[in-house]
Coordinates of all heavy atoms in Angstrom, one line a residue:
Chain P
T68 N 15.2 18.5 14.7 CA 15.0 19.9 14.2 C 16.1 20.2 13.1 O 15.9 21.1 12.3 CB 15.1 21.0 15.3 OG1 16.4 20.8 15.9 CG2 14.0 20.8 16.3
K69 N 17.2 19.5 13.2 CA 18.3 19.8 12.2 C 17.9 19.4 10.8 O 18.1 20.1 9.8 CB 19.6 19.1 12.6 CG 20.2 19.7 13.8 CD 21.6 19.1 14.1 CE 22.4 19.6 15.2 NZ 22.0 20.4 16.2
E70 N 17.2 18.3 10.7 CA 16.8 17.8 9.4 C 15.3 18.1 9.1 O 14.8 17.8 8.0 CB 17.1 16.3 9.2 CG 18.6 16.1 9.2 CD 18.9 14.6 9.1 OE1 18.3 13.9 8.3 OE2 19.8 14.2 9.9
G71 N 14.6 18.6 10.1 CA 13.2 19.0 9.9 C 12.2 17.9 9.8 O 11.4 17.8 8.8
Y72 N 12.2 16.9 10.8 CA 11.2 15.9 10.7 C 10.9 15.4 12.2 O 11.7 15.5 13.1 CB 11.6 14.7 9.8 CG 12.7 13.9 10.3 CD1 12.6 12.9 11.2 CD2 14.0 14.1 9.7 CE1 13.7 12.1 11.6 CE2 15.1 13.3 10.1 CZ 14.9 12.4 11.1 OH 16.0 11.6 11.5
S73 N 9.7 14.9 12.3 CA 9.2 14.3 13.5 C 8.4 13.0 13.2 O 7.7 13.0 12.1 CB 8.3 15.3 14.2 OG 7.7 14.7 15.4
Y74 N 8.6 12.0 14.0 CA 7.8 10.8 13.8 C 6.8 10.7 15.0 O 7.1 11.0 16.1 CB 8.7 9.6 13.9 CG 9.6 9.4 12.7 CD1 11.0 9.3 12.8 CD2 9.1 9.3 11.4 CE1 11.8 9.2 11.7 CE2 9.9 9.1 10.3 CZ 11.3 9.1 10.5 OH 12.1 8.9 9.4
L75 N 5.6 10.2 14.7 CA 4.7 9.8 15.7 C 4.5 8.3 15.6 O 4.3 7.7 14.5 CB 3.3 10.5 15.5 CG 2.3 10.3 16.6 CD1 2.6 11.3 17.7 CD2 0.9 10.4 16.2
Y76 N 4.7 7.6 16.8 CA 4.6 6.2 16.9 C 3.3 5.8 17.7 O 3.1 6.4 18.7 CB 5.8 5.6 17.6 CG 7.1 5.9 16.9 CD1 7.8 7.0 17.2 CD2 7.6 5.0 16.0 CE1 9.1 7.3 16.6 CE2 8.9 5.2 15.3 CZ 9.5 6.4 15.7 OH 10.8 6.6 15.1
I77 N 2.6 4.8 17.2 CA 1.6 4.2 18.1 C 1.9 2.7 18.2 O 2.0 2.0 17.2 CB 0.2 4.4 17.4 CG1 -0.1 5.9 17.2 CG2 -0.9 3.8 18.3 CD1 -1.4 6.2 16.6
K78 N 1.9 2.3 19.5 CA 2.3 0.9 19.8 C 1.0 0.1 20.0 O 0.1 0.6 20.8 CB 3.2 0.9 21.0 CG 3.9 -0.4 21.3 CD 4.8 -0.2 22.4 CE 5.3 -1.6 22.9 NZ 6.2 -1.5 24.0
G79 N 0.8 -1.0 19.4 CA -0.3 -1.9 19.7 C -1.7 -1.1 19.5 O -2.5 -0.9 20.4
S80 N -1.9 -0.8 18.2 CA -3.0 0.1 17.8 C -4.4 -0.5 18.3 O -4.6 -1.7 18.3 CB -3.1 0.2 16.3 OG -1.9 0.7 15.8
Q81 N -5.2 0.4 18.8 CA -6.6 0.0 19.2 C -7.6 0.8 18.4 O -7.3 1.8 17.8 CB -6.7 0.4 20.7 CG -5.8 -0.3 21.6 CD -6.0 -1.8 21.6 OE1 -7.1 -2.3 21.8 NE2 -4.9 -2.6 21.4
P82 N -8.8 0.3 18.3 CA -9.9 1.0 17.5 C -10.0 2.4 17.9 O -10.2 3.3 17.0 CB -11.1 0.2 17.8 CG -10.7 -1.2 18.2 CD -9.3 -1.0 18.9
E83 N -9.8 2.8 19.1 CA -10.0 4.2 19.5 C -8.9 5.1 19.0 O -8.9 6.3 19.2 CB -10.1 4.3 21.0 CG -8.9 3.8 21.8 CD -9.1 2.4 22.3 OE1 -9.9 1.6 21.7 OE2 -8.5 2.0 23.4
D84 N -7.8 4.5 18.4 CA -6.8 5.3 17.9 C -7.1 5.8 16.5 O -6.4 6.7 15.9 CB -5.5 4.5 17.7 CG -4.9 4.1 19.1 OD1 -5.1 4.8 20.1 OD2 -4.3 3.0 19.1
S85 N -8.2 5.3 15.9 CA -8.7 5.8 14.6 C -9.0 7.3 14.7 O -9.8 7.7 15.5 CB -9.9 5.1 14.1 OG -9.6 3.7 13.9
A86 N -8.3 8.1 13.9 CA -8.4 9.6 14.0 C -7.5 10.1 12.9 O -6.7 9.4 12.2 CB -8.0 10.1 15.3
T87 N -7.5 11.4 12.7 CA -6.6 12.1 11.9 C -5.5 12.7 12.8 O -5.9 13.4 13.8 CB -7.2 13.2 11.1 OG1 -8.1 12.6 10.1 CG2 -6.2 14.0 10.3
Y88 N -4.3 12.5 12.5 CA -3.2 13.0 13.3 C -2.5 14.2 12.6 O -2.0 14.1 11.5 CB -2.1 11.9 13.7 CG -2.8 10.9 14.6 CD1 -3.6 9.9 14.1 CD2 -2.6 11.0 16.0 CE1 -4.2 9.0 15.0 CE2 -3.2 10.1 16.8 CZ -4.0 9.1 16.3 OH -4.6 8.2 17.2
L89 N -2.6 15.4 13.2 CA -2.1 16.6 12.6 C -0.8 17.0 13.2 O -0.7 16.9 14.5 CB -3.1 17.8 12.8 CG -4.4 17.8 12.2 CD1 -5.2 19.0 12.7 CD2 -4.3 17.9 10.7
C90 N 0.2 17.4 12.4 CA 1.3 18.1 13.0 C 1.3 19.5 12.6 O 0.7 19.9 11.6 CB 2.6 17.4 12.7 SG 3.4 17.8 11.2
A91 N 1.9 20.4 13.4 CA 1.9 21.8 13.2 C 3.3 22.4 13.6 O 3.8 22.0 14.6 CB 0.8 22.5 13.9
F92 N 3.8 23.3 12.8 CA 5.1 23.9 13.0 C 4.8 25.3 13.5 O 4.0 26.0 13.0 CB 5.8 23.9 11.7 CG 7.0 24.9 11.6 CD1 8.3 24.6 12.0 CD2 6.7 26.2 11.2 CE1 9.3 25.5 11.9 CE2 7.8 27.1 11.1 CZ 9.1 26.8 11.4
S93 N 5.5 25.8 14.6 CA 5.5 27.2 14.9 C 6.9 27.7 14.9 O 7.8 27.1 15.4 CB 4.7 27.5 16.2 OG 5.2 26.7 17.3
G94 N 7.1 28.9 14.3 CA 8.4 29.5 14.3 C 8.4 30.5 15.4 O 7.6 30.5 16.3
R95 N 9.4 31.4 15.4 CA 9.5 32.4 16.5 C 8.6 33.6 16.4 O 9.0 34.7 16.6 CB 11.0 32.8 16.6 CG 11.9 31.7 17.0 CD 13.2 32.0 17.5 NE 13.9 30.8 17.9 CZ 13.8 30.3 19.1 NH1 13.1 30.9 20.0 NH2 14.4 29.2 19.4
D96 N 7.4 33.3 16.0 CA 6.3 34.3 16.0 C 5.1 33.5 16.4 O 5.2 32.4 17.0 CB 6.1 34.9 14.6 CG 5.9 33.8 13.5 OD1 5.4 32.7 13.8 OD2 6.2 34.1 12.3
D97 N 3.9 34.1 16.3 CA 2.7 33.4 16.8 C 1.9 32.7 15.8 O 0.8 32.2 16.0 CB 1.8 34.5 17.5 CG 2.4 35.0 18.8 OD1 3.2 34.3 19.4 OD2 2.1 36.1 19.2

Side-chain angles (χ1 to χ4, degrees):
Chain P
T68 59
K69 290 187 173 16
E70 293 177 46
Y72 65 83
S73 174
Y74 290 122
L75 189 82
Y76 300 89
I77 301 179
K78 194 175 169 182
S80 305
Q81 298 297 308
E83 59 265 27
D84 296 330
S85 294
T87 295
Y88 291 82
L89 290 175
C90 84
F92 161 91
S93 54
R95 295 195 175 274
D96 53 27
D97 290 333

